[in-house]
Amino acid sequence: SVNYNDLGDKWTVKDKTPEMQYAEKMQNPQKLSDVVKSISLAYPLDSIMAKSNLYSGQPEEIYILRIQDLENGFVKSEISKKEEIPREMAREVATMSRPTGFLEDNDIIVSNKGTIGKTAIYKVDNRLILPSPQVFVVKADTKKILPEYLFKILNSKHIQNKLKSLATGAYIPRISKKDLADIRIPVP
């Protein structure tokens, strides 16, 4: 509800939505894309697996991160989907630049398909984890924002509602990389 005296001379309904009121109170709002190094989708696993027959040698076990592997803001200790690829290929994937490559310490994972906005922060361990195309991998620019803070902001009620409102698709909702990059967040 809005008090009539709060409306002023010129107003629209959009001006009085909770989202707009939150944005007006936000201090130093910046686009997500301005405070991160990258927002990327994973390289399709099918392409990596198709190349694996070009290599030979010892197999290396890799884990495929899917939305159901995110729990309470972290990557589960048990990831159900595993693949084996030749060790030489695993080394090559590890050195590839984004959007491919394994998860690194403090990567923030945001689901982009189905369950929109499920967020986790990855703390490095000894597993090789390759994100699936169901998630965006966000790398914070630590000169501008701390990964832990960014993770908390992306998990806030306001940002979660915003992500859900940006979803498109009747059967399987999804958000685009551009929509995620354009979200405004408070930056201290």
Side-chain angles (χ1 to χ4, degrees), residues 1-8 11 16:
S1 69
V2 177
N3 184 325
Y4 181 78
N5 295 329
D6 293 337
L7 296 176
W11 61 275
K16 302 306 173 193

Side-chain angles (χ1 to χ4, degrees), residues 53-72:
N53 62 3
L54 301 174
Y55 295 83
S56 62
Q58 280 298 91
E60 182 85 30
E61 188 171 65
I62 63 169
Y63 296 87
I64 311 302
L65 181 75
R66 297 176 297 170
I67 296 170
Q68 67 241 33
D69 299 318
L70 307 178
E71 187 174 75
N72 299 325

Side-chain angles (χ1 to χ4, degrees), residues 5-122:
N5 295 329
D6 293 337
L7 296 176
D9 295 337
K10 297 178 184 175
W11 61 275
T12 64
V13 172
K14 183 180 176 193
D15 293 337
K16 302 306 173 193
T17 62
E19 182 177 290
M20 289 305 291
Q21 290 174 347
Y22 179 85
E24 287 172 5
K25 293 176 188 173
M26 194 183 301
Q27 297 197 357
N28 195 23
Q30 292 185 31
K31 284 185 177 181
L32 181 63
S33 60
D34 294 337
V35 296
V36 299
K37 290 180 185 175
S38 66
I39 300 172
S40 57
L41 269 173
Y43 193 76
L45 180 63
D46 297 345
S47 298
I48 290 175
M49 296 311 291
K51 290 180 185 177
S52 69
N53 62 3
L54 301 174
Y55 295 83
S56 62
Q58 280 298 91
E60 182 85 30
E61 188 171 65
I62 63 169
Y63 296 87
I64 311 302
L65 181 75
R66 297 176 297 170
I67 296 170
Q68 67 241 33
D69 299 318
L70 307 178
E71 187 174 75
N72 299 325
F74 294 97
V75 175
K76 287 181 180 178
S77 58
E78 284 296 318
I79 296 176
S80 58
K81 186 163 181 165
K82 300 174 190 175
E83 296 286 341
E84 284 191 354
I85 63 173
R87 187 166 285 151
E88 300 84 32
M89 185 176 188
R91 286 190 193 118
E92 186 178 315
V93 170
T95 60
M96 291 177 153
S97 60
R98 296 280 173 199
T100 57
F102 298 110
L103 288 180
E104 296 174 347
D105 196 33
N106 289 321
D107 279 351
I108 298 167
I109 300 117
V110 180
S111 62
N112 63 33
K113 224 179 265 179
T115 305
I116 300 296
K118 193 169 185 180
T119 310
I121 189 166
Y122 176 66

